[in-house]
Amino acid sequence: MERAPLSAPAAPDHVSLSQRLARRGLDVTTLLLMPALLFVLALFVYPALYGFWLSLHPMNANGVFGFGNYIAFFSDPYVYGTIFTTLELAVPVTLVNIALSVPIALRVRHLRKQRLLTTILIIPVTLGTVLTAQGMLNFYGPLGWFNRILMTLHVIDAPVRLVHNFTGVFLSQIVSGFPFCFMLILSYVSGIDPSLEQAASMLGAGPAARFRHILLPLLGAGLAITFCLAFVQAFSVFPSAVLVGSPSGPTRVIAIAAYHAAYEQYDYSMGSAIAIIMGLVQIIVVAIVMKASAALYRGPAAGGKG
């Protein structure tokens, strides 16, 4: 007796909308991302695109489309020099914060009272930029406690100028940026399996060798991300450069140039152009750092049974 050939099951007459969307990769979980996507489009993408469009319409060009603002920016050394001033501040601040955070995080992760010490170290984040600047003016100012103590001990004969200059802004960025770097690096350090260091120690590796060959490669990606986030935060410095710096002199950063163009000269087109340049510089630095970090080890940081 011959068997009837097998045939494919008949397709249902009606396919629901959810099933059709699921076939295209749009299930319920994916749709939950829509509010966040709309938020990003409304508050980040659209303002960036509008700012770029505005920067291409110079104020004195009678509505003519062009790159006049960018040409004017790079034609004035006093204006385009703010890029290098900001880099000279942001890059060293970021490197110092990371250099301070790594050894402290490596030490704190082994302590019993880790939460207490972590809370103490991140207190500056709760103070805010303005309060931090005010405290620095009272402590490091010419008549502040720092200079008074040194003069009382006859260490110095005249007050040391630590505010209203590049040093003041640098110290302010260290105070406000260190907790951010510390918390990020502590989270990466805590994820490294201690058995890796113990195994290296049993094989005769000293602290320096363990850090160089085990911890540093495993922290490579984390250090790169921390550098990028801390650099973007430091590069956008504005209140500190005004309050404890010299906004018309050595601490005239690019954010001040954008504010001056938009809200003092009322040239919103030029202000937008400077903001776009500011964003491009940050993207270039971040891209270089992320590209360099790819040379380090990117494997798992946790051990396991072989």
Side-chain angles (χ1 to χ4, degrees):
M1 183 177 182
E2 297 182 358
R3 294 183 179 180
L6 297 177
S7 58
D13 297 335
H14 176 70
V15 179
S16 64
L17 177 61
S18 61
Q19 292 177 338
R20 292 198 299 268
L21 293 177
R23 292 176 181 176
R24 299 178 179 271
L26 299 175
D27 54 5
V28 177
T29 304
T30 306
L31 293 177
L32 292 176
L33 298 176
M34 293 302 296
L37 179 61
L38 294 176
F39 180 83
V40 172
L41 291 175
L43 296 184
F44 294 96
V45 177
Y46 171 74
L49 294 177
Y50 177 75
F52 179 69
W53 176 85
L54 187 62
S55 68
L56 298 177
H57 294 78
M59 183 177 64
N60 298 324
N62 297 322
V64 178
F65 178 88
F67 295 91
N69 285 323
Y70 298 94
I71 296 175
F73 178 87
F74 288 103
S75 299
D76 189 350
Y78 182 68
V79 180
Y80 75 74
T82 57
I83 297 177
F84 304 101
T85 300
T86 312
L87 288 174
E88 290 174 358
L89 177 65
V91 174
V93 163
T94 305
L95 293 176
V96 170
N97 280 330
I98 292 178
L100 293 174
S101 300
V102 171
I104 296 177
L106 291 174
R107 179 59 179 170
V108 168
R109 67 169 178 160
H110 294 298
L111 299 179
R112 294 182 178 179
K113 299 182 179 180
Q114 178 179 344
R115 293 184 179 180
L116 176 61
L117 293 175
T118 302
T119 303
I120 295 175
L121 290 174
I122 65 174
I123 285 179
V125 175
T126 65
L127 299 179
T129 305
V130 177
L131 187 57
T132 301
Q134 184 63 36
M136 290 187 59
L137 292 174
N138 293 332
F139 186 79
Y140 291 112
L143 300 178
W145 289 100
F146 182 79
N147 281 304
R148 288 184 181 182
I149 293 174
L150 293 182
M151 293 178 68
T152 302
L153 298 176
H154 301 287
V155 177
I156 58 176
D157 297 328
V160 180
R161 187 182 178 188
L162 296 174
V163 292
H164 298 304
N165 53 13
F166 186 89
T167 304
V169 182
F170 186 88
L171 293 175
S172 176
Q173 290 297 298
I174 294 293
V175 172
S176 60
F178 168 76
F180 179 73
C181 291
F182 170 74
M183 293 301 297
L184 285 176
I185 293 178
L186 180 62
S187 64
Y188 285 106
V189 170
S190 300
I192 297 178
D193 192 343
S195 62
L196 299 176
E197 294 181 78
Q198 296 173 2
S201 179
M202 293 177 61
L203 294 175
R210 294 198 300 268
F211 177 80
R212 178 181 178 183
H213 297 288
I214 297 178
L215 294 177
L216 185 58
L218 293 176
L219 286 174
L223 292 178
I225 294 175
T226 302
F227 180 92
C228 294
L229 295 177
F231 169 78
V232 171
Q233 182 184 23
F235 193 84
S236 59
V237 57
F238 180 79
S240 298
V242 175
L243 296 174
V244 295
S246 178
S248 60
T251 62
R252 181 178 171 81
V253 293
I254 191 171
I256 293 179
Y259 176 86
H260 176 75
Y263 297 105
E264 293 184 6
Q265 297 179 343
Y266 298 103
D267 189 350
Y268 299 106
S269 179
M270 175 58 79
S272 299
I274 297 176
I276 294 297
I277 295 172
M278 181 178 177
L280 290 177
V281 172
Q282 296 180 71
I283 292 175
I284 292 173
V285 173
V286 169
I288 293 174
V289 173
M290 297 305 296
K291 183 67 175 179
S293 68
L296 296 176
Y297 176 73
R298 303 183 65 180
K305 296 182 179 180

